[in-house]
Amino acid sequence: GSAATASTYYALYPYADEPLFHIHLNVDYPFNLTGILYFPKVKNTIELQKNKIQLYCNQVFVTDSVEGIVPDFLTLLHGVIDSPDIPLNVSRSYLQSDGNVKKISAHITKKVADSLQDIFKNDRKQFEEKWDSLKIFITYGMLTEDKFYDRAGAFNLFKTTDGSYYTYDEYKKLVEANQTDKDGNIVYLYAADTDAQYSYIEAAKAKGYSVLLFNDQLDVHLASKLEQKNEKTRYVRVDADTIDRLIVKEDAAKVELTEAQQAAMTKIFSAQAPKTDKMDFIVSLNAMGADAQPVMITQNEWMRRMKEMSALQGGMMGFYGSMPDSFNLVLNTDHPLIKDIVEKQAAELDAKVAPLNDEIAACKKQVDELRAKHKDLKEDEKPEVEKDIIRTQEAKESDLEKQKTEIYSQFAASEPKVRQLIDLALLANNMLKGEALSEFVKRSTSLL
């Protein structure tokens, strides 16, 4: 009965919260085994400990290292197993290599999956209420045990940022029509933090998109696994790109700026972007419509995911972990404030920059002509005089580019709106702190 079950639990784990569920085991092949496994209530992943399942032989304690007998992900559970057929004096290596023991392990996996499926079918409401605590075990199981992955699809739940729960199939049906891109991929959007990513979630909802909550450190690993297992499926965090590029329905609107204007704006905003060794900002331009934000910060899904996964795995992946976080600073070329800066910089700087551009073009032309002439020559056949000219002209070109960058940097520093727009984007991302935040507040007052 469940009263006895509960008292057993508290006798074994006197400080534990009430368990979420328990599952009875009763196996008679390939050898006899009875037991009970409890899903403990965990508040965070740090509390997860192995060696909480005790193995007995005819009620004599054998070991609490049950790896090999119980599949890896279930060693996180609490419980008791008793088997008269497991020899008392076995070595761990024997247990892990024994064929019968492997069969037991597979049987326990199946039994746990079937029991969870039954609980889900019979009392979905209770299952959903306990899901947030249960999820870590199921995710870990799906990542480490393929047989469990295949069965868990029926009761593994997706939670949305609105707090609704769906199975994979239910959720796919829900979003398929609206969240399929022009290449036929279903794009699943997710957020890791509903406060930090609030504006991105709202932008997605305004398009009629649903956003999942992936706020656990294993979620990104599960997303990668789901992408491998399901064709034409992508998981993308809501702040990975601007909303029209997260799920590309048709070709993007054209940026209505000349190449020179685009280069100027890139230099101007790069000059005022935060400079730290922890973060890189890459300026890009995107026509997002006049109603969208003037400047947005996004973070490439793949790079961010690699960094997050490397934090858990180390090793070869550790290389990604040591790289700075790379962010895109996206300028909305349709926004009136950005258009104003484009016009203002042209009015003030074109006359200064034009002669430099002419000189740069002349250097380039001379270098290109000589390189074309040298194309089929071996290194020692190229005239030294001409090689010197190439070197000189390239150095001159580099120097002129520096002068140009300096002109744009000075403009950026004297035009408070540039930094103000960047800071607004940082603020929306919870990335404006300390001195920078204090400067922003002062500048806001003076601009009002």
Side-chain angles (χ1 to χ4, degrees):
S2 65
T5 305
S7 62
T8 312
Y9 189 71
Y10 294 121
L12 285 166
Y13 314 107
Y15 302 112
D17 287 343
E18 192 181 334
L20 300 166
F21 298 115
H22 61 267
I23 288 170
H24 285 282
L25 299 172
N26 205 340
V27 185
D28 47 21
Y29 172 83
F31 37 64
N32 282 300
L33 175 144
T34 54
I36 182 163
L37 296 178
Y38 300 92
F39 283 84
K41 194 168 187 177
V42 276
K43 293 177 200 66
N44 57 42
T45 19
I46 290 112
E47 283 179 24
L48 284 174
Q49 288 163 344
K50 297 192 171 185
N51 307 343
K52 290 281 193 165
I53 297 178
Q54 301 176 359
L55 175 66
Y56 290 80
C57 172
N58 287 329
Q59 292 160 24
V60 179
F61 177 73
V62 180
T63 179
D64 58 6
S65 299
V66 293
E67 288 98 329
I69 300 170
V70 172
D72 191 43
F73 75 104
L74 294 177
T75 60
L76 303 173
L77 302 187
H78 296 174
V80 194
I81 295 174
D82 192 315
S83 170
D85 297 338
I86 290 180
L88 274 175
N89 55 357
V90 294
S91 69
R92 289 277 292 292
S93 60
Y94 165 77
L95 277 179
Q96 285 166 356
S97 62
D98 183 59
N100 282 335
V101 173
K102 284 204 172 57
K103 282 183 192 149
I104 287 281
S105 173
H107 177 87
I108 292 174
T109 297
K110 177 181 181 309
K111 175 72 181 162
V112 168
D114 290 348
S115 302
L116 287 166
Q117 171 69 12
D118 287 344
I119 295 167
F120 174 66
K121 275 214 304 246
N122 297 332
D123 190 347
R124 176 163 179 167
K125 189 168 175 296
Q126 183 204 184
F127 194 86
E128 288 182 0
E129 281 163 8
K130 295 179 177 180
W131 176 255
D132 292 355
S133 299
L134 190 62
K135 177 178 162 215
I136 180 74
F137 302 106
I138 291 177
T139 306
Y140 187 41
M142 290 174 78
L143 289 170
T144 54
E145 201 81 24
D146 268 342
K147 287 209 166 65
F148 185 75
Y149 176 94
D150 296 337
R151 292 168 174 274
F155 54 79
N156 175 56
L157 294 182
F158 278 163
K159 183 183 184 177
T160 65
T161 48
D162 300 334
S164 310
Y165 294 90
Y166 299 90
T167 64
Y168 182 83
D169 289 343
E170 290 166 353
Y171 194 71
K172 184 179 174 183
K173 273 203 189 76
L174 178 79
V175 300
E176 202 163 11
N178 200 20
Q179 291 182 209
T180 298
D181 69 12
K182 66 186 179 66
D183 300 323
N185 299 299
I186 302 178
V187 182
Y188 294 89
L189 301 177
Y190 67 92
D193 182 327
T194 48
D195 284 343
Q197 288 145 20
Y198 180 81
S199 60
Y200 299 90
I201 295 169
E202 290 305 302
K205 286 184 184 167
K207 286 261 191 197
Y209 299 153
S210 169
V211 182
L212 294 168
L213 184 62
F214 280 5
N215 57 350
D216 182 86
Q217 65 195 76
L218 292 180
D219 284 334
V220 153
H221 293 260
L222 185 62
S224 294
K225 178 119 180 173
L226 289 162
E227 284 171 342
Q228 287 160 16
K229 294 271 192 181
N230 299 282
E231 285 183 358
K232 292 274 187 186
T233 298
R234 285 178 45 236
Y235 287 78
V236 185
R237 203 166 84 177
V238 281
D239 58 352
D241 213 327
T242 56
I243 189 67
D244 52 329
R245 293 201 200 186
L246 280 176
I247 304 177
V248 179
K249 297 290 182 76
E250 65 266 336
D251 293 328
K254 280 271 186 288
V255 170
E256 303 285 337
L257 297 183
T258 66
E259 267 186 39
Q261 287 171 324
Q262 292 186 42
M265 292 299 281
T266 303
K267 282 189 189 305
I268 287 164
F269 276 81
S270 295
Q272 286 292 314
K275 307 275 182 285
T276 76
D277 43 358
K278 297 264 189 297
M279 293 190 274
D280 281 340
F281 286 90
I282 299 151
V283 176
S284 64
L285 295 92
N286 189 351
M288 295 186 261
D291 297 337
Q293 295 292 333
V295 178
M296 272 184 77
I297 290 169
T298 64
Q299 194 179 13
N300 176 281
E301 173 72 21
W302 188 79
M303 283 300 291
R304 196 209 79 249
R305 202 189 286 192
M306 286 297 151
K307 271 188 80 90
E308 283 179 15
M309 288 167 79
S310 73
L312 273 181
Q313 286 176 320
M316 169 54 204
M317 296 286 285
F319 157 75
Y320 291 106
S322 61
M323 287 167 73
D325 283 324
S326 176
F327 295 96
N328 304 308
L329 194 67
V330 189
L331 312 184
N332 177 8
T333 55
D334 292 334
H335 196 284
L337 286 167
I338 297 292
K339 286 182 166 175
D340 287 350
I341 296 173
V342 172
E343 283 170 23
K344 188 169 184 191
Q345 66 82 23
E348 289 184 24
L349 306 182
D350 277 1
K352 287 185 198 168
V353 172
L356 296 176
N357 281 339
D358 293 343
E359 284 190 70
I360 289 168
C363 292
K364 270 195 167 62
K365 183 167 180 267
Q366 196 171 6
V367 170
D368 289 347
E369 282 168 2
L370 286 172
R371 283 205 187 285
K373 191 175 154 190
H374 293 179
K375 192 166 67 101
D376 299 323
L377 300 178
K378 295 194 178 72
E379 197 53 38
D380 55 2
E381 295 170 350
K382 299 173 187 173
E384 280 304 323
V385 179
E386 292 179 2
K387 290 202 301 204
D388 278 345
I389 295 174
I390 290 177
R391 277 193 286 272
T392 313
Q393 294 298 50
E394 285 183 333
K396 186 179 171 188
E397 187 188 326
S398 162
D399 186 52
L400 291 162
E401 283 292 353
K402 281 194 189 113
Q403 290 177 40
K404 223 166 81 172
T405 301
E406 185 51 36
I407 292 172
Y408 288 122
S409 297
Q410 283 174 358
F411 172 85
S414 69
E415 180 53 57
K417 279 183 184 164
V418 172
R419 190 55 192 252
Q420 191 71 0
L421 287 169
I422 293 172
D423 283 354
L424 278 168
L426 290 165
L427 191 64
N429 249 36
N430 206 14
M431 291 165 71
L432 194 63
K433 301 198 163 70
E435 189 185 352
L437 180 59
S438 165
E439 288 300 317
F440 168 78
V441 173
K442 281 186 209 156
R443 195 184 321 110
S444 302
T445 317
S446 66
L447 283 171
L448 287 172

